[in-house]
Amino acid sequence: MSQPPSAGVERTDVQVRRLADLAASLATDPALRAEAASLGERLDGPLRVAFAGRVKAGKSTLLNALVGERLAPTDAGECTRLVTIYRDGIGYGVVALMRDGTRRALDFRRQSGALDIDIGGLPLPSIERLEVTWPSSALRAMTLIDTPGLASLNDENSLRTRGFLALDGGRPSEADAVIYLMRHLHRTDAQFLESFLDRSLGPVSPLNAVAVLSRADEIGAARPDAMQSAARIAERYRNDEQLSSLCATVVPLAGLLAETGHTLREDEAAALRTLAASDTEVLQRMLTSVDRFVQEPYDLLAREEREALLARLGLFGVRLATAELHAGRATTATDLSRLLVNASGVAALRRVLAEHFLPRARVLQARAVLTALRDLARRLRAADESAAAQLEREIERTEAGAHEFAELRLAHLAATGALPVSQEEQREIERLTRPASPAQRAGLTDDASADQLAGVAAAGVERWRTKASDPLADPLTAEAASIAVRSYEALFLAARAPR
Amino acid sequence: MVGWIQRVRETLPQSRRWSDIAVLYRKHRHREQIVERLRKQGVPYATELRALLPLFRQVTRRPPAGTISLRCWPLGAGTDASGASSHRRSEGGRRTWALRVTTGRPSKRKDPRGRAAKDRGNPSRRRVRPRTAKRSGRRRAGRKLGAWRDRARGRSTTTAASAGLPLTSAGQAAELPTPIATELEVAGSPEVETALSDVPLSKGDAPMLSLAVPSMASDDPGLERPYSPVHRRRVRRTCLARPRWRVNLTAEEQPPAARAPARPAAAAESELLDRAAQAFRSLARDDLVRRLSAAKARLQRPSTVVCVVGEFKQGKSSLINALLAGRVCPVDDDLATSALTVVHFGDALKVVVRRRADGEQVVEAIDPATLNEWVTEQGNRGNQRAVERVDIALPHPLLRDGLILVDTPGMGGIGAGHGAATLAFLPYADGLIFVSDATAELSAPEVTFLKQSLELCPTVVFALTKTDLVPHWRRIHELNRGHLADAGLDLPVLPIASPLRHAAMKQGDPALEAESGIPALVNLLATDVIAPAKRLAARRARTDVHSAVSQVLPSLNTELAMLEDPARQAQGLAELQAARSRLDHLRGPGARWSQLLADRMADLSNEATYGLRRSVRELQRQMEGRLEEIKTPADWEDLSRELRTATAGAVTHIIGQLEAGADAIQQDVRAMLAEESLEAGELRALGRSIDVSALWGDTRIDEGVHRAGRVAGTALTGLRGAQSGIFMVSIFARFLPAGMAGILMANPVSLGLGAVFAGHQLIDANRRRLGARRQKARVSVSRFLDDVQFEVGNQLGDMVRQLQRELRDNLTERIGELHRSYAGALERAQADATRSQQQREARSAVLREQIALLERVSTEAGAGDARAARVGGQAQP
């Protein structure tokens, strides 16, 4: 995580934290007060990452894979119906957050790993969301939010009414970052972009969104090279202009493999071993199709066992696992787990998360909380005009003063291609706004001397200042240039600061 | 008997070798005989056993009324090659088996036994059977059957029925109609699992099943010989378990290069055409012979267009490849098909690409191996090469009957542009295969599309693909069925696993092929799409014969009359001369009909062009108003969808008008011709006048035949309908560039994160941008409409010209034929005048014989019509 080089300036998240405290002290309504307090706490917690995508894209499966446990229930039909937040905690618990603001603890049990939550006769619409507290190292780094899929017609309508220009400046967003899951879709398909336009989770940007080409094993018809094939397609998407303005990158992923890889049991491995040890020809025949695998009478495994294997691994997974076992590249459940996880592509996703989200986590969180506070101030206005005005003033001041936000905005503008600058300049902006060491941001290596850094920064200031004062530049470019100037100034200060 | 079949049924899936199966015959007394006969005929009997056994299985399994499924597969499957290469190999001199299934009600020819049975009249005496049937097993089966039939009908008609005889409700043997449903030909190399037919059944028809195998020694592909009497009986009896239809299964070996042999359903017509052609050859009328041979070619390959549609990545191209058992259409994990692909029959593999280059259409043949570079997203990204359409000619048995498969580019959100274009195309298509895969249930736009297409196309099949990959596909299948039922849609849903077909080919595994679902699909196509087209083609062939005969008959009659009555010779000569000069005039440029034709066609062309311009202008005006209101991408989506649908509708309407107009002109021109010819009424003196109406015999024969009639029906506007449909799809594929949908979404996120910090300034900027985008949308709409107007206008012009040329040529040709008849008659009459009495008598004998022959042919054609009408009436009560 990058430290702002200007030692004298307070960190943005600390400022926002104080704002939250201020809001809590100003609010007289207990609900608002609680909300402000929880916003403050949110800053202390980990990054909140939401999964979005159409129905049956594999959101819950991917969540399970990232947690490494079968937590969220998955099914062949539509399954997730409520927004569910999975967070790290000391004990195990499920709480329903009702629309009226109350919280109710719910009963739950685990059924073959997955959580079976009993909403205790509460009507579905009355529940705002579920919160699952689960001690898990994966959840310690990121709080994960599972969402119901974007369904077909109704959501389209709601999307329409929300519209483009009606886009609200201050709706609080639940998530700091978003993982979009998409099936293989046509570039020109309206639904393709539509899945990105669901802004109920917050505004999308390459800074906080990653796309996942899900169910990648199905794309290649479960052939042995299916994942390579999916990687090729993901590569094409990545180079797509529209898409690259929406998300940082596109990662191909076989969620089922990842989930099962993380949770493979020894008995399952044994069943796979039995399969792999059987006659090659028989195995070949079994693996021709799902029906053959399940229906034909073989004395190898009971039919139920085979069905279970198929449900856990899919045809691709079974083919892969038996091939690897047969070739002797794996023997134990641990080997197999590693193999499946490697094949699934989940590692690449983790890497992307670590590179793109986590370094900026603090700023992203601060931004999300600030947005939420704005919304809170608006609601506060009804009860207490002067308090709301005070809060809004403070928010304004913080926002205007925080150069990190400005940088975030600059990075967003550059990444989305909204700035009319040359490619070279765009790359420079990307580099400059990257959460990294000052030398790296200036385009130097870490062993560069302070003088070198200062020289580069001074030249940058000069260059961008000229651009900012160009009378013919459009307002957006001028604004971007002046942000860049400030960033270079900060770099210069960092170079000159005593080590 | 039943037990035996039961065993076959149970044993077959596992037993792969014929010897296993042959053991099952051990109760059969005549087993040796069968085998011996087969050997004598040189037929590898194992093949036949294999072909027969499933037949038993299927036949006996089918429900009393519904669908009968017959399947056969030859032996000797190789394991080495892909479908495509085995196909090539089969051409390289290997034996090719064609199995045909025909159905129809049983023949009167079988009557003697039926009558005998009826005469006996006593069901208890059923043991008195034809001599060949003595075995006790047979008697047992007969008893069972008798009981079954008694129960079913409450009458004792069992004997006749169990002997495979047809019984009408009065207990009378029925007359043999033309086999109705279908002949389905399945041919392939020995590796290819061939198959089957689903035959629609209706109640009250007794079945027979027979198997005929031609001698292998015979080089004549058309020759069919009874397979074996013993065997025939056996099959028939089996079938009696569910007496409904007569089923003919024939297997014949085709020489590798054999082209479209005669097939039973059209066999009568084909033979009729041959006989008529022979008669004309003896009259030295090459022109008519040529006409009939063209008719024969058409009869053998009536064009039937089947369109494969669905959203992208559902496996449309894979489905076509599986149907053709080879890699024909490019398939890729990434987007593959970017152009419309039309697969049709041809003598050799040939690929023709139509594309745009500098605004001009370029048609060029390409190396089939390079097809991927033209139509896939990888080889031709974003369709930079502007390929509009690819035509693939393929010497494939499935296509031999005239089946044309159209592979469409995937539609994005099916309601949008491509969907509209496809819908516009549907009225011209004979069948539609709707493809949706089992990874997800049907979406709302898909259901809407299906609903619309069912109204437009006679046959819609739902193919649920990728069932080999999705463990829970049955559940999706059920869900889909529910969706279809909710929408009130009644269409067959076939689970398809395309890769299994290829695997089945390689392994020679019939069970696997059945699992792939492709045979069922082929069946459905055969019965619901190809069979109606064939019936229509048969009908047209009969009309052709009629028409050709009536070209010649009057002149022959006149000549005969003159020979027999020398007193009238002078008058006759004058009349013939008058007729000839009249026809001379009609043929010439001064004839009124050609004037009329030219004038009316010019009018029609103007009308169509004007109509197009008007609808485009109207659309433009409508759109302009709407464009001012769009705000969101969704609005734009709606708008462009509407625009495309409206355009497709308008274009379809105009093409329809054009065809209707051409029909009207045809009628008028004919009426005028009739008038003009009537003025040459002098021929009446001989009791016969020129039969003008018969002149244009091949006019509209599709009255009363709906839908499929549009394709094969009218003589002149035959395939053009389908072609304009194909043209339309390609127009829409081309005019809807990728940017179209994305115009307003160009950069939706510039508002996203930025807006949070920028406040109103950026929103203002975006308001300005919205204005700019509206402008962009406006330009895009008007360019689209311009393109449509230009392209469609050109196409309409071409169509009119072609219509006119065809009409003119057709009529000129008919007049020429008639002219030749009379000129010939005149010459001969003049020669006759100088002949001796003896010569004259000999000549009149020859004439009489020729006339008799022609009249017979004509009568037979009429009988065929009557038969078809009866069968047609029953098939569609």
Side-chain angles (χ1 to χ4, degrees), chain A residues 186 223 229 232 236 292, chain B residues 312 333-334 378 381 515:
Chain A
H186 202 290
R223 274 181 283 103
S229 196
R232 189 162 50 83
R236 192 169 60 72
R292 290 240 150 173
Chain B
F312 47 76
D333 293 341
D334 204 346
Q378 276 178 300
R381 178 159 273 184
E515 268 178 52

Side-chain angles (χ1 to χ4, degrees), chain B residues 755-790:
Chain B
V756 177
F757 300 105
H760 294 295
Q761 183 196 352
L762 193 66
I763 292 189
D764 278 347
N766 272 282
R767 286 220 175 96
R768 281 200 299 281
R769 206 168 298 167
L770 180 68
R773 282 186 198 139
R774 273 187 192 150
Q775 184 54 34
K776 209 169 154 193
R778 213 170 286 135
V779 169
S780 163
V781 163
S782 67
R783 188 180 304 150
F784 172 73
L785 287 174
D786 266 0
D787 282 356
V788 166
Q789 181 153 356
F790 178 74

Side-chain angles (χ1 to χ4, degrees), chain A residues 108-157:
Chain A
F108 66 93
R109 58 205 169 92
R110 291 191 86 175
Q111 199 160 28
S112 64
L115 272 184
D116 181 14
I117 298 169
D118 178 14
I119 58 171
L122 295 172
L124 267 184
S126 73
I127 304 176
E128 174 131 7
R129 58 170 186 253
L130 299 177
E131 284 190 12
V132 176
T133 315
W134 207 263
S136 153
S137 60
L139 291 176
R140 213 161 294 146
M142 274 183 279
T143 294
L144 300 177
I145 306 173
D146 197 9
T147 65
L150 284 174
S152 46
L153 288 167
N154 288 336
D155 276 63
E156 255 172 42
N157 289 337

Side-chain angles (χ1 to χ4, degrees), chain B residues 227-385:
Chain B
Y227 172 66
S228 140
V230 179
H231 224 119
R232 188 186 273 266
R233 263 200 324 279
R234 188 175 176 80
V235 177
R236 193 188 301 145
R237 199 192 60 222
T238 315
C239 196
L240 282 174
R242 293 284 187 277
R244 282 298 178 267
W245 275 105
R246 168 196 166 90
V247 182
N248 252 310
L249 175 77
T250 53
E252 63 188 42
E253 187 180 61
Q254 301 166 331
R259 301 197 37 193
R263 272 172 287 288
E269 279 73 22
S270 182
E271 199 200 302
L272 195 64
L273 285 171
D274 283 344
R275 279 171 51 199
Q278 203 159 3
F280 289 129
R281 213 168 283 133
S282 73
L283 287 167
R285 291 299 301 270
D286 297 342
D287 50 344
L288 293 176
V289 172
R290 264 199 306 280
R291 189 170 148 203
L292 289 184
S293 71
K296 192 171 175 188
R298 214 162 35 219
L299 171 67
Q300 277 156 0
R301 200 169 302 144
S303 289
T304 38
V305 178
V306 172
C307 205
V308 182
V309 297
E311 299 198 351
F312 47 76
K313 298 317 302 165
Q314 305 287 319
K316 291 181 293 296
S317 300
S318 304
L319 178 73
I320 290 190
N321 286 347
L323 269 173
L324 298 174
R327 212 182 144 99
V328 180
C329 298
V331 178
D332 192 68
D333 293 341
D334 204 346
L335 308 170
T337 315
S338 63
L340 193 73
T341 310
V342 180
V343 187
H344 57 90
F345 187 82
D347 292 330
L349 180 64
K350 193 177 161 203
V351 180
V352 174
V353 169
R354 282 160 213 263
R355 65 190 180 93
R356 288 271 133 184
D358 306 323
E360 293 293 308
Q361 195 180 47
V362 181
V363 181
E364 54 188 326
I366 60 158
D367 179 8
T370 63
L371 183 59
N372 276 10
E373 293 165 25
W374 292 89
V375 297
T376 64
E377 186 70 17
Q378 276 178 300
N380 179 14
R381 178 159 273 184
N383 204 1
Q384 284 157 349
R385 291 184 172 195

